[in-house]
Amino acid sequence: MFCYQCEQTAGGKGCSGRMGVCGKTSDTAELQDQLTGALIGLAKAVEGNEYKANDATAALVVEGLFATLTNVNFDNADIRKLIDRAEKEKQRLIPGCFSCEASCGKNDDYDMANLWNAPEDVRSLRSLILFGIRGMAAYAYHAVVLGYRDAAIHNFLYKALYAVGMDDWGMEELLPIVLEVGEVNLTCMALLDRANTETFGHPQPTEVTLTVEKRPFIVISGHDLYDLKLLLEQTEGKGINVYTHGEMLPAHAYPELKKYSHLKGNFGTAWQNQQKEFSKLPAPVLFTTNCLMPPKEDYADRVFTTEMVGYPGMRHIGEEKDFSPVIENALKLGGYASDQEFTGINGGHQVMTGFAANTVLSVADMVVDAVKKGDIRHFFLVGGCDGSRPGRNYYTEFVKQTPPDTVVLTLACGKYRFNDLDLGTIGGLPRLMDVGQCNDAYSAIRIALALADAFGCDVNELPLSMVLSWYEQKAVCILLTLLHLGIKNIRLGPVLPAFLSQNVLNYLVEQFGIAPISTPEEDLKDILG
């Protein structure tokens, strides 16, 4: 196997051998490569046959890309089914090519070894495209679940896959597509934002308890708000509480979800702590999207998956979305015998969420006035993915050391490093504001652009600094979107991606000022002067 798509890749270079750091085995990695090659072959078949491609074609590409994200699907049988679907769809698009004896390559799948063994700079750019569209596919998938789709997004996925499979393309052809990933991902995130807010309402500031009450309960993890809504509907009136985990935390802020009284609070901290926190948990856990780690034996019998998530031996809830097995398991286990008071990693007993664009922009005048008066000196966006690398305590210390006249916006699971801290208030607003999931990065972008408009300046002239952490492919496409918008001087950590060649990294430094994090003290001094 070879895989270097996530931040924790072995040795900072790439996972090889029998198993990756994420727990993915070599045969699963090879099947994911085979699936990617089949999707590239499908994209080649779409070229010139766009009129034959339909919603089913697009759905297959989105699902296939999503299944290859880190910590999504470890089930070889699921991946084989996707490969088979890709082959059948390709035959539907170009039936004549499968009876033709000419060797034009039109019906061939792509051999991913060609990518991993390509010249370093070309491999780096093609990897950026591939990993970026894997993240974009996850956002597109969530939007489609709610009935929102955009043909332009799906057409670009074909284009990008085609580019990844072009072995004779160099930096001149690939670099524009890298930046186009960011442009199209902005459209995709805007679509998902509209899907979520039109379906569930605009998020509202909400305090979320970390205490788990005495009674049967279910923990739901991942990102899919619609799965949570269905679970809340099916558990209503059955004496079962529901607790969010990981990236599902911001669900508490949506009016159409928070109206359910048995949506009680949040369990646990960041996703990478699940193997410890789920041990001996007297409740089932439902995974709706990525962030699944290989379950340990002492809780594996209580793990359920749905949507694109899969793991061998785990019980999967299919398209019928009947959560009865999860509900029965919760009632059987019974929950804790008494209320359990848990805390965040800094000892806090509750967290706040719901400071999405509409909330922050509703008080934009107050924020602008506070800046003009000197009450607010600087804004920090400190967010992104969390992970187990020791250097990630940088983000906790950075937020702790931000001066009292600054505001910290955060999003995604990286916030679990510090979201239970009480930083006080400034100008009537909390100094620490959770914008939402990584899926909600569009909200943070809207806030930044609106502030720039209010001050009549470029976004890079704002008193705003972005200090981001990355782990997997959704972080890649978000970074590319920020670059597409021309946002500069982003600090990125805990380490830079292994798939960036030195020349590509130099280009990003020269054009956008991207820099690795150093220490909280040095970075704060450099930012604030």
Side-chain angles (χ1 to χ4, degrees):
M1 71 176 291
F2 175 74
C3 183
Y4 64 172
Q5 69 176 4
C6 86
E7 174 264 335
Q8 293 191 144
T9 193
K13 296 181 179 180
C15 292
S16 58
R18 298 179 62 184
M19 182 175 290
V21 174
C22 68
K24 178 172 61 178
T25 60
S26 59
D27 56 342
T28 301
E30 289 164 8
L31 280 171
Q32 289 187 353
D33 269 3
Q34 188 178 337
L35 172 57
T36 304
L39 294 175
I40 292 172
L42 178 58
K44 290 181 179 179
V46 169
E47 186 191 24
N49 294 282
E50 290 86 355
Y51 64 97
K52 289 185 180 180
N54 53 30
D55 287 347
T57 317
L60 171 57
V61 169
V62 166
E63 290 172 21
L65 287 169
F66 193 179
T68 60
L69 254 73
T70 303
N71 294 92
V72 173
N73 201 314
F74 299 80
D75 194 319
N76 291 352
D78 286 351
I79 300 170
R80 288 191 184 97
K81 288 177 184 177
L82 286 164
I83 294 170
D84 290 343
R85 285 174 57 194
E87 295 299 335
K88 289 177 182 177
E89 182 63 9
K90 187 167 62 170
Q91 291 183 38
R92 184 187 72 81
L93 291 170
I94 48 173
C97 288
F98 288 84
S99 59
C100 175
E101 295 182 1
S103 180
C104 68
K106 185 70 175 179
N107 63 357
D108 292 343
D109 289 339
Y110 181 72
D111 184 353
M112 292 295 286
N114 292 345
L115 193 160
W116 309 137
N117 295 319
E120 186 178 23
D121 293 335
V122 170
R123 181 182 65 193
S124 182
L125 291 175
R126 288 161 70 189
S127 295
L128 268 172
I129 295 169
L130 176 59
F131 302 155
I133 62 173
R134 283 177 174 175
M136 189 195 307
Y139 297 141
Y141 182 91
H142 292 306
V144 169
V145 164
L146 297 175
Y148 291 71
R149 53 176 50 83
D150 184 336
I153 295 169
H154 299 138
N155 289 337
F156 176 74
L157 293 177
Y158 303 140
K159 175 182 178 179
L161 282 166
Y162 185 93
V164 171
M166 294 302 291
D167 290 331
D168 58 346
W169 283 18
M171 295 186 70
E172 184 177 348
E173 293 90 354
L174 293 170
L175 187 56
I177 297 178
V178 169
L179 298 178
E180 193 176 355
V181 173
E183 179 182 6
V184 179
N185 186 58
L186 180 64
T187 300
C188 190
M189 289 195 298
L191 180 70
L192 178 57
D193 181 79
R194 184 161 65 89
N196 283 336
T197 54
E198 290 183 359
T199 303
F200 304 111
H202 287 282
Q204 303 165 348
T206 303
E207 186 176 279
V208 182
T209 182
L210 304 182
T211 295
V212 177
E213 296 179 3
K214 169 190 173 181
R215 72 186 307 180
F217 67 97
I218 296 169
V219 174
I220 182 168
S221 189
H223 305 74
D224 201 297
L225 301 178
Y226 186 64
D227 280 334
L228 173 58
K229 183 176 187 296
L230 294 178
L231 181 65
L232 290 169
E233 290 174 350
Q234 293 179 35
T235 51
E236 192 167 24
K238 295 186 177 179
I240 298 174
N241 286 338
V242 175
Y243 292 86
T244 56
H245 171 265
E247 279 278 67
M248 197 64 82
L249 165 64
H252 289 273
Y254 287 91
E256 289 301 309
L257 297 175
K258 66 188 298 183
K259 70 182 183 182
Y260 291 93
S261 61
H262 60 300
L263 177 60
K264 286 291 185 177
N266 192 70
F267 174 83
T269 52
W271 70 272
Q272 75 274 3
N273 300 324
Q274 65 189 257
Q275 291 179 326
K276 176 182 178 181
E277 294 175 344
F278 291 166
S279 178
K280 299 181 174 57
L281 183 73
V285 182
L286 174 64
F287 280 90
T288 67
T289 55
N290 53 315
C291 301
L292 171 69
M293 296 178 73
K296 291 191 172 182
E297 288 186 10
D298 60 355
Y299 69 86
D301 61 339
R302 303 189 295 280
V303 174
F304 295 80
T305 62
T306 191
E307 298 292 353
M308 297 311 302
V309 190
Y311 195 87
M314 299 297 100
R315 286 168 286 184
H316 188 78
I317 307 299
E319 293 180 2
E320 74 284 354
K321 293 297 180 181
D322 179 2
F323 293 118
S324 297
V326 188
I327 293 169
E328 291 168 4
N329 192 256
L331 293 171
K332 177 182 177 181
L333 292 169
Y336 291 110
S338 60
D339 291 356
Q340 301 292 305
E341 292 189 7
F342 295 101
T343 66
I345 65 170
N346 300 290
H349 292 273
Q350 61 276 320
V351 294
M352 287 286 291
T353 190
F355 292 93
N358 267 41
T359 294
V360 177
L361 297 183
S362 69
V363 292
D365 291 345
M366 186 167 63
V367 172
V368 171
D369 187 56
V371 173
K372 289 180 176 178
K373 288 180 178 178
D375 296 333
I376 297 177
R377 177 173 32 150
H378 205 85
F379 297 88
F380 297 98
L381 175 60
V382 185
C385 312
D386 205 355
S388 57
R389 191 180 292 272
R392 288 182 180 272
N393 59 3
Y394 163 95
Y395 297 94
T396 309
E397 294 306 313
F398 186 95
V399 171
K400 284 181 177 180
Q401 294 179 38
T402 54
D405 58 353
T406 61
V407 171
V408 178
L409 299 171
T410 189
L411 52 77
C413 60
K415 62 175 167 275
Y416 279 98
R417 294 276 168 174
F418 48 79
N419 68 337
D420 64 320
L421 290 171
D422 182 2
L423 298 185
T425 61
I426 184 169
L429 296 169
R431 278 194 56 227
L432 176 60
M433 292 186 275
D434 176 17
V435 177
Q437 299 179 342
C438 68
N439 297 21
D440 299 313
Y442 183 69
S443 260
I445 290 171
R446 281 184 60 201
I447 292 169
L449 295 179
L451 288 175
D453 184 63
F455 284 107
C457 66
D458 181 85
V459 68
N460 291 304
E461 297 173 322
L462 283 172
L464 168 67
S465 300
M466 296 190 180
V467 184
L468 306 180
S469 56
W470 83 282
Y471 180 83
E472 45 89 1
Q473 297 76 64
K474 285 188 279 186
V476 175
C477 66
I478 291 172
L479 177 63
L480 293 178
T481 293
L482 295 176
L483 301 186
H484 158 70
L485 291 169
I487 296 174
K488 297 183 177 181
N489 302 317
I490 297 169
R491 282 173 165 79
L492 185 65
V495 295
L496 295 177
F499 51 82
L500 288 182
S501 68
Q502 190 59 53
N503 285 334
V504 171
L505 177 59
N506 289 343
Y507 173 83
L508 296 177
V509 171
E510 292 168 6
Q511 297 295 317
F512 302 101
I514 286 181
I517 58 173
S518 56
T519 67
E521 295 80 6
E522 291 174 357
D523 287 346
L524 280 167
K525 182 179 179 180
D526 184 52
I527 291 169
L528 297 175

